[in-house]
Amino acid sequence: MVSDAIRLDGKVAVITGGAGGIGAATARLMAARGARVAIADIAIDAARALADGLPGAIAVPLDLEDEASIQTMVATVVDHHGRLDILHNNAALLGPDIARQDGDIEHMGTALWDRTYAVNVRGTMIACRAALPHLRASRGNIVNTVSNLALQGHLIQAAYSASKAAIIQMTRSIATSHGALGVRCNAVAPGMTLTPALREAFPPALRQAVEAETLRDRLGEPEDIAEVVAFLASDAARNVTGQLLVADGGCASHVPGIAQFRAFFGEHP
Ligand SMILES: NC(=O)c1ccc[n+]([C@@H]2O[C@H](COP(=O)([O-])OP(=O)(O)OC[C@H]3O[C@@H](n4cnc5c(N)ncnc54)[C@H](O)[C@@H]3O)[C@@H](O)[C@H]2O)c1
């Protein structure tokens, strides 16, 4: 029998940062699979524009730096839809200005470190805490977006990568504390994913360096990550909890420097 468990019919899903790159692709995909999505974002005009085009979707203002805003966001969704089945913690503190300040630890400003943790770690924790009573009621689940940078050292983004590693451990803690209560919690780690913002801001030479390490013939697109999130959020993943699914085109799965090895051996060593 062909399984249709990847469908999300009848589910209510919140996507934080749902107005932007990967979050917007995930909102579109989840809506196409039958979910009623709540697009929660600090960029509320963009969230409304996206929600207007998706059946059953709503836009909800959210500032992850503001505890009250997070609690109101969850309450608004539950008031509107009467339930919550999926919390997708996708939003993060990003952007060229932030990236410029987030280098190595010796040169790290404390304010940047604190803000990164406020949005990424504290904001995710408060969203999970606010959603968990509703997810217990629906036997729902949480999908946290982290990053391949949480798994490997790099010259850049020391605060961001540490904050994403903290979310991996939060994922395991929630899976452990709430598994017997019917709530699953998983994480997805995208590698470099070609969102509109990243296409605009990321230096082409560095993009080529990442492309050289991928095991596919191209870098990931937002829709590639959306598919993984939709799977983890669906009943098809009912036996999967406390897990990290790395969706980076294989970049982190091999020793570094395969571009040079390819050049030495040719395409077929
Ligand atoms: N794009 C990549 O290459 C990549 C790689 C690894 C991990 N990720 C992760 O994927 C997720 C999505 O990234 P993206 O590239 O689509 O980002 P993006 O910048 O395109 O979108 C992020 C969204 O989050 C919203 N947001 C930012 N701060 C917020 C706040 N304080 N409160 C509420 N909303 C806020 C923004 O308005 C935006 O809509 C992030 O968790 C990111 O760390 C992305």
Side-chain angles (χ1 to χ4, degrees):
M1 197 180 100
V2 176
S3 167
D4 62 358
I6 291 278
R7 296 283 314 171
L8 297 168
D9 302 285
K11 313 265 191 213
V12 172
V14 170
I15 299 147
T16 71
I22 297 171
T26 307
R28 283 192 206 95
L29 183 69
M30 284 193 176
R33 298 260 165 95
R36 287 171 289 165
V37 298
I39 299 161
D41 208 295
I42 201 165
I44 190 61
D45 290 344
R48 289 199 178 109
L50 180 56
D52 282 350
L54 300 177
I58 58 169
V60 188
L62 171 67
D63 179 357
L64 280 168
E65 282 185 81
D66 176 1
E67 180 166 0
S69 164
I70 303 169
Q71 283 160 349
T72 302
M73 180 275 290
V74 171
T76 302
V77 175
V78 174
D79 280 353
H80 186 86
H81 286 302
R83 60 185 294 132
L84 177 61
D85 301 276
I86 298 161
L87 170 65
H88 176 32
N89 288 306
N90 163 79
L93 187 68
L94 294 163
D97 287 349
I98 300 297
R100 261 191 293 278
Q101 298 171 59
D102 188 2
D104 70 284
I105 293 291
E106 185 180 349
H107 303 98
M108 177 75 58
T110 311
L112 185 276
W113 180 274
D114 286 347
R115 191 161 176 232
T116 302
Y117 268 65
V119 174
N120 298 1
V121 185
R122 183 175 177 271
T124 297
M125 183 282 286
I126 294 168
C128 292
R129 192 179 63 196
L132 276 167
H134 306 291
L135 298 175
R136 285 170 65 164
S138 65
R139 301 184 73 79
N141 71 85
I142 297 171
V143 181
N144 293 324
T145 296
V146 295
S147 168
N148 62 330
L149 297 188
L151 308 172
Q152 296 173 297
H154 208 335
L155 297 172
I156 57 171
Q157 292 186 289
Y160 171 84
S161 58
S163 76
K164 292 293 189 174
I167 298 172
I168 296 174
Q169 189 55 23
M170 200 188 315
T171 301
R172 297 187 186 111
S173 294
I174 292 169
T176 305
S177 61
H178 282 68
L181 300 170
V183 179
R184 296 185 297 110
C185 186
N186 290 293
V188 57
M192 183 178 285
T193 306
L194 297 173
T195 61
L198 192 135
R199 279 181 196 278
E200 194 182 310
F202 205 78
L206 298 184
R207 177 173 153 177
Q208 280 163 16
V210 181
E211 268 167 354
E213 298 294 341
T214 188
L215 301 184
R216 300 183 67 201
D217 57 358
R218 62 169 179 82
L219 290 173
E221 300 282 345
E223 291 72 19
D224 297 327
I225 307 305
E227 289 282 1
V228 177
V229 174
F231 163 69
L232 289 173
S234 77
D235 293 341
R238 59 191 170 274
N239 208 32
V240 181
T241 193
Q243 298 304 307
L244 170 66
L245 209 163
V246 180
D248 70 343
C251 279
S253 66
H254 57 78
V255 296
I258 57 163
Q260 288 86 338
F261 275 76
R262 271 203 198 104
F264 184 83
F265 287 118
E267 280 303 305
H268 301 289

